[in-house]
Amino acid sequence: MSVDMRTYLAHVELANPITTAAGCAASGDELSQFVDLSRLGAFVTRSITMAPRAGRPTPRMAETPSGLLNAVGLQGPGVDVFLERELPRLVDRGARAVVSIGGGSVAEYTALARRLADAPGVTAVEVNLSCPNVEDLGRVFARDPAAAAEVVSSVRATMRYDVPVVAKLAPDAADIVAVARACVDGGADALAMINTPLGMSIDVDTMRPALAAGTGGLSGPAVRPLAVRCLWQVHAALPGVPIVGMGGVFSGRDALELILAGACVVSVGTALFHDPYACLRILRELEDLLKERGFERLADAVGLAQRPPGAGPRHRIDLEESSL
Amino acid sequence: MKETAGTAVQVTGTVLTTRRVDAYHALTVVAPGIAERFRPGHFVTVAVGGPHTSMPARRAFAVHDVKPDYGGTVELVFAVRGRGTAWLAERKARDTLDLVGPLGRPFPVPRDPAACVLVGGEYGSASLFALADVLQRRGCRVDFVLGAASADRVFGALRARRMGETTTLTTEDGSLGLRGRVTDALPSVIADARADVVYACGPMAMLRGVTAVAVEFDIPVQVSIEEAMACGYGVCMTCVVPVIGDDGVTRMVRSCVEGPVFRGERVRFEDIGTIPFDALGAPGGRAQEGGAHTRNVS
């Protein structure tokens, strides 16, 4: 018996829970040399901005223990080129496109949402809240519940009603549950976490910061415990809200850990740099692990670690309804 | 064979031989699938540290040689520069390696026989020999200029002497060949060989110097760039360099998929490590592709 791997991102059904993570799969052309994008649960684009962006200077990447620091700076072609070239190619390849958007002001997010509202083939919109708010001294939207909620509600109001809006949260907020709750109150249909926390590395040979930008986002297995903690806290506080989990998922076991903490979709990011086949390998490993543990449906594992001890999958009948 | 060229594959390779070559390590890996798709200038990436590695970034290496033996082997030449390359240097025969390749755009080769000068710095010269093979099979004249800081860091001198019409060696400490840099010797080699094209692979500062010489002689120069990358196939966006396009617009392009081989005069070497103010999408600069901003023609 195979495991039913279907999952829901708000009301949208995905064939399986494994997606790429924003900013880790470029336009899709690169990954499609290796894997059939239509076999992913969804393809999450890099964060699209209104204008083309050249990003940050190099060096943009530094390896740290079980992690990577990066400061790419949302390099991308801008929304016009994205809609004209990249999105249609994703749709042609049969990928379900979750479009990540990034901006420096509420107006910019709203304008992006307006551009996406008429575009065919947008499965969901992910709002990257880790961008600096130029109207608020460069403070990151995700650190402030009110600023995050303002962006989300503005995107929600602009986007077509049938396209879920996913708020992507940063782990280095003072109170991630407060930010999550504000986003949901603002109209977010789902939450994604975690974006990369800020880190820094100094090259002791050159005695200079390893990244040109100084600080960068930390990703990879090093941040997985942070992701699990954030998922756990937010799922406990908002059990009905679907969560896209990510943070150092390199194997099926890692994906299962996030699912047990409360994720119903799992994104693969840094692992794609290590293994271009990572998404499909992790999906296969996850399915095997669920089967070994007696699950018939992925949905039964979501948030299971939060339920009382002894409430295993075989006693499913006694359990409360799945959060899906 | 032809239809497979250029498409990358991931394979589990088996180490056939390992050896030290002066300051460098050479690793021959049985990697069917990669060897048959290889063109000179391609590179491969290797996962380092084993199955539970703490090093998530792959390491990129130019391919020195491919041979049809054992279903296809690739040879990598590298220097130990960190934990990843140190791990790789410890591999022994029969160990397995996770390889992805061949990656990148290979060296373009002239249609008709031409006089080609191949310039290598340090172990960058490793990737020139497969190119020299192809060029010679097309009837091209090949001259080598190889250099490094010291004699033990000049790679491939013997093979260059066997293959090249002439071979000029330079070391900064004078321990082998001429004292100085490849760019000191290059003008006379270009003049003597009546070179039509220069190919170069090595450190960024050397590529910049070689490009300047070739521009002076008004001949095309193809440079293979080595910029730090995490993935090698275009998704991590970390290996960008400012390159001037056919339309005159500078873009931050990925050296893994748009390169690693570029026309030297298109690369803005002096601006590497920055975002040039006139690059597409630079902060406060050119905002739109083909937008209202006009290029400064001076």
Side-chain angles (χ1 to χ4, degrees), chain A residues 23-26 30-31 34 52-58 60-61 63-64 66-68 72 75 250 272-277, chain B residues 8 10 47 53-59 100 229-231 233-238 240 252 254 273-275 280-282 287:
Chain A
C24 297
E30 299 81 359
L31 200 56
F34 299 97
R53 278 176 66 105
R56 308 300 296 258
T58 53
R60 291 177 167 187
M61 184 267 296
E63 196 178 58
T64 57
S66 296
L68 279 183
V72 170
Q75 182 175 348
F250 268 60
L272 289 171
F273 305 161
H274 190 83
D275 173 8
Y277 296 93
Chain B
Q10 184 175 34
T53 181
S54 67
M55 294 180 271
R58 298 179 78 89
R59 304 304 194 257
V100 175
M229 52 181 81
C231 72
Y233 72 107
V235 295
C236 77
M237 304 298 292
T238 62
V240 295
M252 300 306 296
R254 295 162 294 185
T274 72
I275 303 294
L280 179 72

Side-chain angles (χ1 to χ4, degrees), chain B residues 143-165:
Chain B
D143 294 81
F144 283 97
V145 182
L146 308 181
S150 55
D152 65 327
R153 305 186 73 84
V154 177
F155 181 85
L158 202 64
R159 190 158 170 205
R161 283 200 179 109
R162 277 205 299 265
M163 291 184 83
E165 196 74 28

Side-chain angles (χ1 to χ4, degrees), chain A residues 95-109:
Chain A
R96 313 208 60 165
V98 175
V99 182
S100 173
I101 56 173
S105 64
V106 176
E108 199 175 339
Y109 283 101

Side-chain angles (χ1 to χ4, degrees), chain A residues 6 100-101 134 154 197 204 207 277 288:
Chain A
R6 286 174 302 171
S100 173
I101 56 173
V134 293
S154 156
V204 295
M207 298 192 274
Y277 296 93
D288 288 346

